[in-house]
Amino acid sequence: CSLFIFLCSLFFRRSLAPLPLHLIRKCRLAFPAFVTPAQPLRSKPGGKPSRRSPNCRISIREMAELPSCIDPGDTAWVLLSTSFVLGMVPGLSIFEAGMLRSRTTVAVLTQVAGGLAVNSMLWYFVGFSMVYGRSGGFVASPATYAMFYNLAHDECFEGQSVPKLAFAMFQMMFAVITPVLLTGTIAERMRWKPFMCFVTLWEVLIYYPVAHWIWGGGWLDQMGVLDFAGGIVIHTSAGAAAIVCSLFLGRRDDFVENNGEYHPSSLPLVALGGALLWIGWFFFNAGSVLESGALAAVVVANTQIASSTGSMVFFFLDWLHGKKPSVVDLLNGAIAGLAGVTPAVGYITPQAALLVGALVSLSSYYGIVILRFRWLIDDALDVSSVHGIPGVVGALLIGFAATRHVDPTIPDEGLVYSGSGYLLGVQLLAIVVVAAYAAVVTLLILVLLKWRFGKGKMTRHNMVSDVTDFHVEAYHHCESTRSPHGSLQEPLIKSSIIGDSEDDDE
């Protein structure tokens, strides 16, 4: 309080006229020359002069004159969560760079960074409006909060205790990370320009409508569909799109020769990226509470219980199948548990979180076995199995285990607590609709990109690599070759890609 008055006095050339009178009257502050020249300094019992009257009782909220709806603690929690969820994006790129071959390290890092930038700008210009603006049916009006206009930093949405701008920035991180999950599917088969067009179209045509249906007051939200932090909006849609991309792009030429398995280029990068994802996921889930209270504590507990259970399930299944445990499978199990508990994390008890973690990781493990090794679908980093399948299973389990003992605001409880199958039915409907919509629109986007960048056909040419696409290599021991004059040449392995056309650089 003293520092505030002092600095304002200096700024206004020692004139207190701009300051509210009730603040001046309420405090006897440390700088009597600026406030009350005749006021002597009081002495504390120990003899040291006191700089302030015992009657001074101005709170931080009063000094800042915050609106009554804004809670500083909740706001700090949401802003901190926003920062950590943003940190998941480079964590994802590091994880994928370590999992893929070293010839594509720079490519995947650049794709994720490019997706982060373009999706952030899309959200700023029209995205937030299309999800949370005035509802127009299929999507909300893009003009409601375009460029964050009418999005006051000192006002709250109904039922929230954080500024509107803080909520918009937190939701931006969800919109940013969802399309770039697909970099783990299309790895080595889509060049830079088609990729940027792909994530832009996917964000606008798939993420915004689906998020509006479930989170923005759309028709699924009105039916009572529950998705706490993105099991349907994010993981189900990305999983369905991953399968379509894998089938449309086809297998890499050496996929069958390698039995569907490629050795990671850097296990330390895998461990580092996985750790960043695991840590960030706490803020991903608990930040969605939008307040630092009892429900946030439940969400944090459920997140750790499910992720640890998923990791141990992968560990024991490897052991049962005669495989040595690996850091890759341990982290994939943890990510499967995290993706599976995400839709239900704020509606279930910690006891149910254990069961959810076990079931979603079990389904994820055998999803990898079936899709990659039996059906030979080349989903490079198993996005469909590690994100999509757990998201579907976790969203369905809400229909069984959701309870008002955890969140009293939910419209319906699960089958175990209410005896009614209504919630299970609407959850199943939402999953089917979102998966089908994401699959169909993803296919249409790929067909459009194939027509534009592939000259109407899939071409067989050199595999996408750092050298061919960016004329750099991440490591000096990269598999690229050198000409007798020392210049870098393209790798010798061939594959089917999108965007390999003479007109790419037009």
Side-chain angles (χ1 to χ4, degrees), residues 313-355:
V313 166
F314 266 58
F315 174 85
F316 283 115
L317 288 175
D318 278 346
W319 177 68
L320 288 175
H321 288 84
K323 297 173 58 179
K324 297 291 183 181
S326 68
V327 65
V328 173
D329 282 346
L330 288 172
L331 289 174
N332 274 337
I335 293 173
L338 290 166
V341 80
T342 291
V345 69
Y347 309 127
I348 62 176
T349 64
Q351 294 74 36
L354 179 69
L355 181 61

Side-chain angles (χ1 to χ4, degrees), residues 435-470:
Y437 175 77
V440 171
V441 178
T442 300
L443 178 61
L444 294 177
I445 293 172
L446 290 172
V447 170
L448 176 63
L449 295 178
K450 178 182 176 181
W451 169 78
R452 169 58 185 88
F453 293 98
K455 289 297 183 183
K457 61 180 181 179
M458 298 295 294
T459 58
R460 301 188 61 81
H461 201 276
N462 294 320
M463 182 177 298
V464 175
S465 71
D466 299 341
V467 175
T468 58
D469 277 32
F470 302 99

Side-chain angles (χ1 to χ4, degrees), residues 280-325:
W281 223 299
F282 284 95
F283 298 90
F284 190 92
N285 288 344
S288 298
V289 181
L290 300 179
E291 62 181 31
S292 54
L295 183 56
V298 175
V299 170
V300 168
N302 289 346
T303 301
Q304 180 64 10
I305 291 168
S307 59
S308 300
T309 302
S311 187
M312 293 309 299
V313 166
F314 266 58
F315 174 85
F316 283 115
L317 288 175
D318 278 346
W319 177 68
L320 288 175
H321 288 84
K323 297 173 58 179
K324 297 291 183 181

Side-chain angles (χ1 to χ4, degrees), residues 19 49 62 81-82 96 142 148 191-192 218 226 266 285 292 311 359 364 378 380 383 388 399 437 483:
L19 298 178
E62 185 180 9
S81 299
T82 302
E96 292 181 350
F148 287 175
R191 295 198 182 279
W192 167 250
L226 298 179
S266 175
N285 288 344
S292 54
S311 187
L359 291 177
S364 174
D378 188 7
V383 174
Y437 175 77
S483 68

Side-chain angles (χ1 to χ4, degrees), residues 252-488:
R252 288 166 287 182
D253 283 358
D254 53 351
F255 181 80
V256 177
E257 298 174 8
N258 288 282
N259 297 318
E261 289 188 287
Y262 296 88
H263 295 293
S265 61
S266 175
L267 286 177
L269 285 183
V270 173
L272 176 60
L276 291 175
L277 289 173
W278 198 335
I279 293 170
W281 223 299
F282 284 95
F283 298 90
F284 190 92
N285 288 344
S288 298
V289 181
L290 300 179
E291 62 181 31
S292 54
L295 183 56
V298 175
V299 170
V300 168
N302 289 346
T303 301
Q304 180 64 10
I305 291 168
S307 59
S308 300
T309 302
S311 187
M312 293 309 299
V313 166
F314 266 58
F315 174 85
F316 283 115
L317 288 175
D318 278 346
W319 177 68
L320 288 175
H321 288 84
K323 297 173 58 179
K324 297 291 183 181
S326 68
V327 65
V328 173
D329 282 346
L330 288 172
L331 289 174
N332 274 337
I335 293 173
L338 290 166
V341 80
T342 291
V345 69
Y347 309 127
I348 62 176
T349 64
Q351 294 74 36
L354 179 69
L355 181 61
V356 169
L359 291 177
V360 299
S361 56
L362 187 69
S363 62
S364 174
Y365 186 93
Y366 286 105
I368 295 173
V369 172
I370 294 173
L371 295 179
R372 190 204 297 178
F373 297 111
R374 293 189 182 177
W375 294 353
L376 298 178
I377 297 177
D378 188 7
D379 184 353
L381 297 182
D382 302 307
V383 174
S384 55
S385 298
V386 177
H387 292 273
I389 293 177
V392 169
V393 175
L396 277 177
L397 291 176
I398 295 175
F400 292 95
T403 173
R404 292 194 180 100
H405 295 297
V406 176
D407 186 355
T409 65
I410 59 176
D412 299 285
E413 289 188 301
L415 183 64
V416 173
Y417 294 92
S418 67
S420 170
Y422 176 79
L423 181 58
L424 179 61
V426 295
Q427 292 295 117
L428 179 60
L429 173 65
I431 291 169
V432 172
V433 169
V434 170
Y437 175 77
V440 171
V441 178
T442 300
L443 178 61
L444 294 177
I445 293 172
L446 290 172
V447 170
L448 176 63
L449 295 178
K450 178 182 176 181
W451 169 78
R452 169 58 185 88
F453 293 98
K455 289 297 183 183
K457 61 180 181 179
M458 298 295 294
T459 58
R460 301 188 61 81
H461 201 276
N462 294 320
M463 182 177 298
V464 175
S465 71
D466 299 341
V467 175
T468 58
D469 277 32
F470 302 99
H471 305 291
V472 296
E473 53 184 353
Y475 309 103
H476 292 296
H477 59 272
C478 186
E479 296 93 328
S480 57
T481 60
R482 291 185 178 273
S483 68
H485 301 288
S487 60
L488 289 172

